[in-house]
Amino acid sequence: MSNNSNNPESTPVTHFILNRIRDDVAAGKNGGNVITRFPPEPNGYLHIGHAKSICLNFSMAKEFNGCTNLRFDDTNPLKEEALFYEQIQNDVRWLGFEWTELRHASDYFQQLYDYARELISNGKAYVDSLPAEQIREYRGTLTEAGRNSPDRDRPVEQSLDLFERMKNGEFADGELVVRARIDMASGNINMRDPVIYRIRRAHHQLTGDDWCIYPMYDFAHCVSDAIEGITHSLCTLEFEDHRPLYDWILDNISIDCHPQQIEFARGNLDFTVMSKRRLRQLVDQGHVDGWDDPRMPTIAGIRRRGYPPAAVRQFWESVGVSKSESIIPMGVLENAVRNELNETAPRVMAVLRPLKIVLTNFPENETHWVEAARHPQNPDFGQRKVPITRELYIEQTDFMLEAPKKFFRLKPGGEVRLRNAFIIQCNQVIQDADGHITELHCSYDPDTISGQPGASRKVKGTIHWVSAEHAVNAEVRLYDRLFNATNPLADKQRDFSEFLNPNSLETIADAVIEPSMADANAGDICQFERTGYFVVDQDSNDNRLVFNQTVALRDTWAKFAG
RNA sequence: UGGGACGUAGCCAAGUGGUUAAGGCACGGGGUUUUGAUCCCCGCAUGCGUAGGUUCGAAUCCUACCGUCCCAGCCA
């Protein structure tokens, strides 16, 4: 739960960005409006880290009745692909947000070009013919000032002419660039005459071959923000050094809007990696089954894993927003998922690793149907009927030949309650020649069935079960963390892929589930009682049900049992 | 003496000079329970990176130091 959603007395969630925006609104800045944007580059799948930014941007605007644009930062056609435009929109919508306007930096190519001309006209930018390597050398180092390019004082008219000819395709890729004329001695390297336009003969996904020059991020981003009237431009910490440049550009062109850039820390999770580059590597090297592999921290992956969008929102809300770098335990996310699913997932009985039991005093060829609540705390979920017969399956882990004292499940001579049904006692253990337990002979107490006088009789344990005759076969995929190291990137000597967890996926081919789930559809989520939350995977078809484990139930017994 | 940031409990995080330093997760203890789940109670920093200083009073202000992160793409 979020800090204040249940308890109105507790302190409301707040953070420096909320405070800042609240102050701005109170002061009447920007006419009291709040307009934010989420600006992904269409060069990969969104991951849960992006979700933080999405939640932040949309929630800040919502808080003040403002609006949020989705803007594709598509200024580098070499790295971008058409399919990502669609995928990213799906992911944002899935998270539960709808943008006010869909924009693209490429919508503004003409305006961007015009503003660059303005900069040049005012002596604030120039066309440089230094090759890339030379520009790097002239830039200096972290501790030494850079040197002015020989072209820095090129006459304005000449730069203007060259820029136009760049646009017209008269020069080869890389032959010329446009640079802002700022300060080659600045301690901030971003201010050492940054390149703002380069020549690139690349087919753009949206503008096709209209342009052979493309603006750089530092130029395109702030101008795009200003064009859209963004009031608060929220971005991550690594752009802090770029803020002086962001402000410089807007101060030096004739645009009447100057958004405020505010930086916040990314949110990292332990036991995973969170960068498009590295996630792409996992996909390309076949370590996972694709961008939407349920082990991936991508939005597509966690969706397929069964994480509800509300849980992701709640997670980021509970984590908060600050400027200190952090690594959040995966358990916090999982807790948010359990929290949400506990409220929304109907309960069902499924046995992952079946052990057959025979109720010796139960009539043969007879089926009793027991009423079972779909949710123990919420009657609105209704009831379902579950068949019970003489032969059942229970979980192998729910029986022990030699059980420790605190083992509340089945053991020889012991009693246990069958969930939603009656109490049984284990009378005989059948083993094969190798000593493997093949089945259990038990007797049931008819007096303890719901509605009977002995129904309230207490036994220590309750276990789940599935009627052998009615069992629906299912494949179940269990997941563990993708990496063995809390931070797979910590060891700079080794590639992060060396820390992959070889056991991150375990497939159980022959689990059994109660018949009420026989017609489940991909995306359906339920709780396998006493086990965890599971979602029907898209690999399911009419002949085969496949479940992905979303997250296991909290298991305090496992801590004792090891 | 490159520049920019950040250090509050095991992990996040509020707090911006004034009683006993919010809250969540984790952890420990108890209660309810036909899920060892959920739910409910209780506990959990004489302490805010360190050392000085200002002040009647400091996590909050000042100074110095220590530690961590980011920046030298014609990437975003």
Side-chain angles (χ1 to χ4, degrees), chain A residues 321-374:
Chain A
V321 179
S322 75
K323 295 193 69 163
S324 52
E325 295 280 6
S326 60
I327 298 183
I328 303 139
M330 192 65 86
V332 178
L333 209 209
E334 291 173 339
N335 186 68
V337 172
R338 286 191 199 96
N339 233 324
E340 175 67 19
L341 258 18
N342 178 50
E343 310 273 317
T344 58
R347 314 288 131 121
V348 106
M349 291 193 287
V351 174
L352 266 33
R353 298 177 182 84
L355 169 62
K356 189 192 229 180
I357 71 171
V358 179
L359 302 179
T360 51
N361 59 340
F362 195 99
E364 291 188 53
N365 306 120
E366 212 169 276
T367 299
H368 285 170
W369 293 82
V370 298
E371 287 278 332
R374 287 199 155 95

Side-chain angles (χ1 to χ4, degrees), chain A residues 287-323:
Chain A
H287 293 120
V288 293
D289 290 330
W291 287 96
D292 69 342
D293 186 299
R295 293 165 294 182
M296 291 280 273
T298 51
I299 302 292
I302 62 177
R303 176 200 297 143
R304 190 168 173 189
R305 178 75 175 262
Y307 285 19
V312 178
R313 285 185 246 119
Q314 177 195 98
F315 165 69
W316 285 121
E317 187 182 334
S318 76
V319 163
V321 179
S322 75
K323 295 193 69 163

